[in-house]
Amino acid sequence: MAFNFGAPSGTSGSAAATAAPTGGFGGFGTTSTTAGSAFSFSAPANTGTTGLFTQNKGFGFGTGFGTTTGTSTGLGTGLGTGLGFGGFNTQQQQQQSTLGGLFSQPTQAPAQSNQLINTASALSAPTLLGDERDAILAKWNQLQAFWGAGKGYFNNNIPPVEFTQENPFCRFKAVGYSCMPNNKDEDGLVVLVFIKKETDIRSQQQQLVESLHKVLGGNQTLTVNVEGIKTLPDDQTEVVIYVVERSPNGTSRRVPATTLYAHFEQVSIKTQLQQLGVTLSMTRTELSPAQIKQLLQNPPAGVDPIIWEQAKVDNPDSEKLIPVPMVGFRELLRRLKVQDQMTKQHQTRLDIISEDISELQKNQTTTMAKIAQYKRKLMDLSHRTLQVLIKQEIQRKSGYAIQADEEQLRVQLDTIQCELNAPTQFKGRLNELMSQIRMQNHFGAVKTEERYYIDADLLREIKQHLKQQQEGLSHLISIIKDDLEDIKLVEHGLNETIHIRGGVFS
């Protein structure tokens, strides 16, 4: 049938193409490697991995950066075992500029023309049935093209057109922005994505390093180091590594990222990495100006050039960000998960910073209190020391006549004392300040009368309430008076009864 509701066939990715590991890290410490030929970087295989800059699959931003596999040709000389990255200052590197076919656009003009003609026929004028049903089929083909899934039948003698999300008519497209890496190739940073949680990776980090060292051939001159570990959505973890090569003379250097990535992309090595749980490997190197220029000049497959140009204009920071196409809901969901994950990490970091700031504030308060206490203690000790020195000097000078320098000091002290006692000098000013302070204290002790202003409606309600309270008190007072009169009558009756009984008995 022509009305196929199946999933689009063009949704395969590099992560999905690899088989999931059976469990653990595929046996840490038991990975079988061939040390003699597995880790020779003298002639790395050119895998031709396509990435962001290819025409057909242009939407894997992370997998295409710097994935060049053409490397120097004399890297294996100088160590004798065939496992090294090359001697130090004993080789002449010739960096190839093929970039693994990333920028080589295949010339398929006739095939593309036929594809466009067939697509146009399927969307506008199919001749499959030869009646009015072809118009309905054309609308159905248009719907499939807009959705980016299905097959478009238009002629009995020509195969149907496969509609994927990369076709120009797919409506579920957008352009976002991603940060460009700023690491050099000499930094040697390579990213490995594991289908493992971050806690599992951290708990088995040493075993992971040992397994990767065995994958590299177990050469003792090579050391695997972990640069960073980061959580990814869907229980995945990103591990950034680099390899350090030590020479016999004691110097060391990092293995270039492209060289290490080319080794990981070999079929046998890639199989061993998959056994460890690796689903994706890529370099983390910055793009050259030529790569950035070619990327921006050539819109990805299925993206309207007008939209691409507008995305370049709307780039908030062209020095750090680069436009990236988002095709389909799956890509949008992936970016949403990554954004949520980064938001959680930022919030966690902010919480840690907030706790650190609170702890620092507590320490600062404690430190300030200790400083004030130590200042008071220092002042007290200074006074005590001065008193001891005075007594000691008096005892030492007892029995001696006053010397010239002491007489000079006495004159200076008398002069200072006279200046302090002068009415217009410091003593008069101090007395004036003391008088002002006493007056302010006296005025502050006298409380000024405070006046309040009440709203008219609120004042009316208060009056009504007080009136009701007054009426209640008046009613209560009248009841009490009546009760008192009744009590007096009762007392009067009791007194008369007592007098009558007394007269009878008498």
Side-chain angles (χ1 to χ4, degrees), residues 330-344:
R330 184 175 300 176
E331 179 66 17
L332 182 62
L333 178 61
R334 185 190 68 82
R335 290 181 68 91
L336 180 61
K337 289 182 179 180
V338 172
Q339 184 175 358
D340 291 340
Q341 187 70 29
M342 292 303 298
T343 303
K344 292 180 181 178

Side-chain angles (χ1 to χ4, degrees), residues 64-81:
F65 278 162
T67 57
T68 60
T69 56
T71 56
S72 57
T73 59
L75 297 176
T77 62
L79 294 181
T81 60

Side-chain angles (χ1 to χ4, degrees), residues 21-52:
T22 57
F25 281 102
F28 278 156
T30 60
T31 306
S32 61
T33 59
T34 57
S37 61
F39 198 53
S40 177
F41 288 91
S42 59
N46 189 353
T47 58
T49 304
T50 59
L52 174 65

Side-chain angles (χ1 to χ4, degrees), residues 145-415:
F146 294 160
W147 183 261
K151 296 180 179 181
Y153 293 88
F154 62 96
N155 195 307
N156 291 321
N157 300 324
I158 302 177
V161 178
E162 186 76 23
F163 293 118
T164 62
Q165 293 182 346
E166 285 78 11
N167 76 84
F169 302 97
C170 181
R171 298 297 185 184
F172 303 107
K173 295 177 182 178
V175 178
Y177 300 93
S178 294
C179 293
M180 291 187 293
N182 55 2
N183 302 104
K184 303 291 184 182
D185 186 33
E186 294 77 12
D187 296 335
L189 299 181
V190 175
V191 178
L192 300 178
V193 179
F194 291 84
I195 309 181
K196 292 290 180 181
K197 295 182 179 180
E198 182 183 0
T199 54
D200 299 337
I201 294 292
R202 292 188 180 277
S203 62
Q204 302 178 2
Q205 180 175 343
Q206 184 61 33
Q207 298 177 7
L208 173 62
V209 171
E210 294 175 358
S211 299
L212 291 176
H213 187 263
K214 291 182 179 180
V215 170
L216 296 178
N219 192 352
Q220 298 300 324
T221 61
L222 302 177
T223 305
V224 180
N225 299 276
V226 177
E227 178 74 13
I229 300 175
K230 184 175 69 174
T231 302
L232 296 179
D234 300 329
D235 292 337
Q236 295 184 351
T237 304
E238 175 187 285
V239 180
V240 182
I241 65 170
Y242 63 92
V243 177
V244 177
E245 180 187 13
R246 298 187 305 274
S247 66
N249 58 6
T251 59
S252 62
R253 70 181 182 98
R254 291 191 182 188
V255 178
T258 53
T259 305
L260 184 60
Y261 173 77
H263 177 73
F264 284 158
E265 286 300 308
Q266 296 180 10
V267 178
S268 59
I269 303 301
K270 199 169 186 177
T271 303
Q272 297 178 21
L273 292 177
Q274 291 176 1
Q275 294 176 358
L276 295 178
V278 178
T279 60
L280 179 65
S281 61
M282 55 187 174
T283 59
R284 179 163 289 179
T285 55
E286 63 179 357
L287 294 175
S288 64
Q291 290 175 327
I292 297 175
K293 182 178 179 180
Q294 186 166 359
L295 171 65
L296 297 177
Q297 288 180 351
N298 299 323
V303 177
D304 192 345
I306 298 177
I307 298 178
W308 188 251
E309 292 295 330
Q310 186 64 34
K312 291 191 294 182
V313 174
D314 296 339
N315 192 344
D317 190 351
S318 59
E319 298 294 332
K320 298 181 180 180
L321 302 178
I322 193 168
V324 178
M326 295 182 294
V327 181
F329 294 102
R330 184 175 300 176
E331 179 66 17
L332 182 62
L333 178 61
R334 185 190 68 82
R335 290 181 68 91
L336 180 61
K337 289 182 179 180
V338 172
Q339 184 175 358
D340 291 340
Q341 187 70 29
M342 292 303 298
T343 303
K344 292 180 181 178
Q345 292 180 2
H346 291 167
Q347 186 62 43
T348 303
R349 177 58 57 184
L350 289 176
D351 294 340
I352 294 174
I353 293 174
S354 178
E355 293 178 358
D356 293 342
I357 291 175
S358 301
E359 187 67 22
L360 290 175
Q361 289 177 348
K362 293 180 181 178
N363 294 337
Q364 182 186 11
T365 304
T366 305
T367 305
M368 294 298 293
K370 288 183 178 180
I371 290 174
Q373 180 181 358
Y374 292 151
K375 283 183 178 179
R376 292 191 298 268
K377 188 175 181 181
L378 176 62
M379 186 66 66
D380 187 16
L381 292 176
S382 300
H383 291 167
R384 292 173 62 184
T385 304
L386 183 60
Q387 292 176 0
V388 171
L389 290 175
I390 292 172
K391 293 180 179 180
Q392 183 180 1
E393 189 68 15
I394 291 173
Q395 291 180 358
R396 188 175 70 86
K397 294 289 185 177
S398 62
Y400 291 93
I402 298 177
Q403 299 178 0
D405 54 350
E406 295 176 348
E407 182 65 23
Q408 185 178 2
L409 289 175
R410 186 181 65 80
V411 172
Q412 292 179 358
L413 291 174
D414 292 339
T415 304

